[in-house]
Structure formats: structure tokens, C-alpha cells
Amino acid sequence: METGSPDDTGTAGATEAAREEPVWTGLPPGLLRMRRLLLVVWLGLLTVAAGLLPGLFLGPAWAFLALLPSALAVWGWVMLERNWRSWRYAERADDLLISRGVLWREETVVPYGRMQLVEVTSGPVERHFGLASVQLHTAAAATDATIPGLDPAEAERLRDRLTELGEARSAGL
């Protein structure tokens, strides 16, 4: 038995396992900022309405109803960050992984060869925040997937790469 020689089977197995582990990419913070702004705007309006209208028509004691939407806004502020942190995606050799969810984790695997259409969309609010979403369509409606809140350049890069890989994989079918 030689001393000092590495165990080839142990290191090769560890290297191979590390190579197959996906490299996850999270969503940019602009999505969290956009969602928090929408939360504050809508629940701010609801807070004013819940405090002002009952206070005017039923008496000042009813203005405490404004506390409910305010408490909901604080809870939503924290939950939005937890949800934002849960979203991530990984490009692998044969498929795209999308993972999301806080209480119920959901991981979607979309094989490149099954992709039929890759869209980049951006509504007016998303454009204001410099964001875009990538929508993946497959033959099976259950595996359609979306990656929200990406930088537009990253969304276009991802669309081009997924389209290229999809065409290359589907050519062999």
C-alpha cells in the first residue's frame, strides 16, 4: 500500500457530484422594490379609505379600522421579501430549472427540446422599474413556466439561449 496517494474513486465521485449540481441565479432586487411599491400604494389607499370613510360616516371611533390594512402592509412587506428570495433559476445542459415558493416549494424542469415558444414581456410598471419576464411555452400546458423580474438584457440573453438550445435539441426528435 502506498502512503500519500489520493483515493481516486472518492475525489472523482465528489468532483462529478459537484459538476452536476445546478448553479442557481436569483432574481434582481428591482422586482422586490416594484412589488413593495405596489403593496404600499394599494394598501395605503385602502388604509386611508378604511380610516376616513367609517370615521366620517359612523364617528371617529371607527377610524381604528385603518389599523387592519396597515398591519396587512407590514405583514406583506416581510412576505414579499421571503417570496422574492425563494425565486431562482438554473440553466443545465439539457433543461432549465425554475424553483419558487416559501411554504410550498415548487420546482419546474423544462427540457430544452420541449420548448415551443420563449417570450419576453414587460408591462408598463415593469418597464418603469427596468424589468422584464421570460415566459416559456411547451406542448404540455402544465410545464409552462415564467421567470419574472429579470433585467431586460438578461431576459433577452436567456430567450436567445433557450431558443437556440431548444432548436438544437428538437432537431434530433
Side-chain angles (χ1 to χ4, degrees):
M1 178 175 158
E2 277 185 17
T3 56
S5 67
D7 181 14
D8 290 337
T9 57
T11 18
T15 306
E16 192 174 311
R19 211 175 322 152
E20 291 187 23
E21 186 67 27
V23 178
W24 292 100
T25 304
L27 300 181
L31 179 66
L32 179 61
R33 282 193 298 273
M34 179 189 77
R35 288 180 175 174
R36 281 183 168 170
L37 176 68
L38 291 173
L39 174 80
V40 168
V41 166
W42 288 111
L43 287 180
L45 292 172
L46 187 60
T47 300
V48 169
L52 190 62
L53 295 177
L56 287 174
F57 295 114
L58 301 174
W62 287 92
F64 78 90
L65 290 174
L67 295 175
L68 294 173
S70 299
L72 187 60
V74 170
W75 178 78
W77 188 273
V78 174
M79 291 298 111
L80 282 174
E81 183 169 356
R82 289 185 66 195
N83 180 270
W84 170 74
R85 288 189 187 282
S86 75
W87 276 87
R88 57 192 186 155
Y89 65 95
E91 299 174 61
R92 296 195 306 183
D94 295 322
D95 49 33
L96 177 73
L97 300 175
I98 302 172
S99 178
R100 64 193 167 281
V102 177
L103 293 177
W104 286 273
R105 298 284 307 157
E106 186 175 331
E107 192 165 295
T108 304
V109 179
V110 184
Y112 296 135
R114 300 291 182 192
M115 289 184 205
Q116 293 183 332
L117 175 67
V118 182
E119 290 181 299
V120 174
T121 60
S122 185
V125 177
E126 285 179 311
R127 278 195 308 275
H128 177 74
F129 282 89
L131 301 173
S133 297
V134 174
Q135 174 79 38
L136 309 164
H137 299 277
T138 63
T143 57
D144 287 359
T146 302
I147 304 173
L150 296 174
D151 294 320
E154 171 64 10
E156 290 175 10
R157 182 205 65 83
L158 192 58
R159 177 200 59 208
D160 294 343
R161 176 166 162 70
L162 295 176
T163 302
E164 178 183 312
L165 289 169
E167 289 172 355
R169 298 295 193 278
S170 66
L173 292 178

